[in-house]
Amino acid sequence: MDGGVDAPADSGMDDASADGAVDGAMDADTDAATDAGPLPDSGTVASPAAEVLRTGTGGFLLRGVVLAPDAVLDPGEVLIVGDTITCVAADCSAEPSADSVTLIDTHGTISPGLIDGHNHLTYDFLPEWVPDPARLFDDRYQWADDPAYEAHIAPFGDGRSRGDHICPGAKWGELRSLMHGTTTVQGQSRNLSCLNRLVRNADHHHGLGRDQMQTNIASVRDLTDADATRLLDNYIDATPTTRYVVHMAEGLSDKARLEFASLAGRDPRSNRHMGQSLLAGNYMGVDYSGVAVLIHSMPLTESELMEVADTGSMIVWSPSSNIVLYGATAPIGRMIELGLTIGIGPDWTVSGEDDLLSEMRFALDWAGIEGETEITPQRLWEMATFDGATVVGLDAFIGKLEVGMRADISVFGRLGRAPFEAVTDSRAADVRLVLIDGQGYYGDSALEDTTAVNRDCEMFDACGTDKFVCLANTPGATTSTARASETVVDVESELVAILDDYGRGSELLPLVACD
Ligand SMILES: [Zn+2]
């Protein structure tokens, strides 16, 4: 997470349509053996390639193992008409348009598009920073002042306020997200039109109605009386801020431990909105709660965790970045026990995993070592789908395979007895198809003709598997700017040129890792 104190504060779910037989409870084995041959007792296998059984118009009927909100449908179907899901069931054939849309047997696992609750996309062309000598830090302020850190991020840092750094950096981060089944990212992104395409940016250009989120990357202990008043005005406004996303207590230092109390209105220093919590309360006669999203939240005490629960505040967990920088992470087991709404995100490539799928695998490995039995593939999938949607305030539109939701869908070309492992086990080569608003942005090259959003998509080699990826002229892009027609190759060469200015052209972080 960007120690950037200079970054500006952003200044403002039941069963699918039941006519299909629900096959088995959520944690049941799948019986997809038919597709991929005998399934291993544990783990997953790559599934046979998808088949386009009929080319149609106006949408798609996808077959596969369907991860519906309250059940795993196997076999299952998802019907998409235009940009909307109109059926999720074992059999959607009786539904309107089911016989006119394109019919695809994915032979895979069909999930809502994944939601990354915490990223800093603009940095995601940089490789990991490894302090030399290796060391741990007390909090984010400590390494942010480390000259070696500053040198490492200089290719971005020196141009952080300029579009010619932000746009290609963020695009590279979004492309990597897309290739790993992620369709929405909360990423502290600047409000620039070049970001208004490709994956949804939960903090600005999400394409799902008005912007309801404010973010603040600076220390919450710097919030003054005037800051608090402005925020609370927005909380109770007719078109309110419904999500206030902050970096909360990243690290285990005393400084980090004071942050929660400060945000909760218990900061004894003057001009620090003493007595006025930004978590929940009453302002101008209006009650407010369920607005605050607390990224990291590592050293929260039991009573502070209870206050998070009581105020309806939410958490975003970033285990890999925490463990790499501090050797510890949030009390995630207790947070789950308390029923908190928890999202997940890799933070950034500088200290976290490179993508959300890798982050989920990191979390599973960590939980295995720590004996955190609450952390399972299914629980992580929920953090990255419907809980993630709630965290970013877009759960009315995305995060579930449910009738009426926008068709943000990721198909994973893996099958296993534990259906959610098909997601957490997947790499970019396994990501079979990614739809945003029912249009294909990434997937197996064999699906390009029938699913791609436009005819300007490019071939991409995902570790030996041919894929298509769409960037040029994709919806959202303001056609006026030259960036509307830029390709993946254009973005790549722009970033290499930026890094070359520092003699580090060979350091561009690849979009996919093949090892
Ligand atoms: Zn961060």
Side-chain angles (χ1 to χ4, degrees), residues 261-344:
S262 186
L263 192 69
R266 296 192 294 272
D267 192 326
R269 296 171 302 163
S270 66
N271 194 23
R272 288 297 184 271
H273 62 95
M274 180 66 169
Q276 191 80 64
S277 170
L278 294 173
L279 300 172
N282 182 285
Y283 177 70
M284 311 285 274
V286 179
D287 291 333
Y288 59 90
S289 64
V291 181
V293 176
L294 313 175
I295 296 174
H296 293 303
S297 301
M298 292 173 55
L300 268 54
T301 64
E302 178 64 13
S303 66
E304 288 172 338
L305 290 174
M306 299 300 281
E307 191 172 350
V308 173
D310 296 344
T311 58
S313 304
M314 292 150 271
I315 300 285
V316 183
W317 188 37
S318 293
S320 68
S321 183
N322 292 164
I323 297 293
V324 164
L325 291 170
Y326 314 108
T329 189
I332 195 70
R334 184 63 183 138
M335 288 172 168
I336 291 173
E337 277 170 15
L338 287 169
L340 302 184
T341 300
I342 304 167
I344 186 167

Side-chain angles (χ1 to χ4, degrees), residues 1 118 120 247 296 347:
M1 92 85 313
H118 173 214
H120 299 269
H247 278 59
H296 293 303
D347 199 346

Side-chain angles (χ1 to χ4, degrees), residues 56-219:
T57 57
F60 304 99
L61 181 55
L62 303 178
R63 284 186 180 152
V65 174
V66 174
L67 304 182
D70 297 315
V72 175
L73 307 178
D74 177 27
E77 295 188 341
V78 178
L79 178 59
I80 300 152
V81 177
D83 62 9
T84 303
I85 296 171
T86 61
C87 172
V88 179
D91 176 3
C92 290
S93 59
E95 295 292 323
S97 305
D99 53 6
S100 59
V101 297
T102 296
L103 172 58
I104 300 174
D105 190 334
T106 69
H107 294 300
T109 301
I110 305 172
S111 165
L114 303 181
I115 296 166
D116 177 344
H118 173 214
N119 209 312
H120 299 269
L121 290 164
T122 45
Y123 289 81
D124 287 351
F125 66 102
L126 294 169
E128 185 179 2
W129 172 53
V130 181
D132 180 22
R135 58 165 297 185
L136 296 176
F137 299 89
D138 300 333
D139 61 36
R140 65 175 170 144
Y141 310 107
Q142 195 180 25
W143 52 258
D145 294 335
D146 187 313
Y149 160 74
E150 285 291 345
H152 182 80
I153 63 132
F156 171 75
D158 295 349
R160 74 173 72 216
S161 57
R162 298 205 313 264
D164 62 8
H165 275 52
I166 291 171
C167 295
K171 270 315 110 191
W172 201 248
E174 289 197 18
L175 284 165
R176 183 177 301 106
S177 298
L178 192 66
M179 292 174 176
H180 294 87
T182 302
T183 52
T184 296
V185 178
Q186 193 285 112
Q188 308 281 348
S189 53
R190 296 289 172 85
N191 196 350
L192 292 175
S193 65
C194 67
L195 295 172
N196 185 12
R197 49 202 287 231
L198 219 59
V199 303
R200 303 184 193 280
N201 302 94
D203 36 338
H204 293 299
H205 302 295
H206 47 62
L208 299 168
R210 71 180 180 84
D211 176 6
Q212 310 183 23
M213 180 183 285
Q214 283 185 251
T215 63
N216 180 6
I217 204 167
S219 170

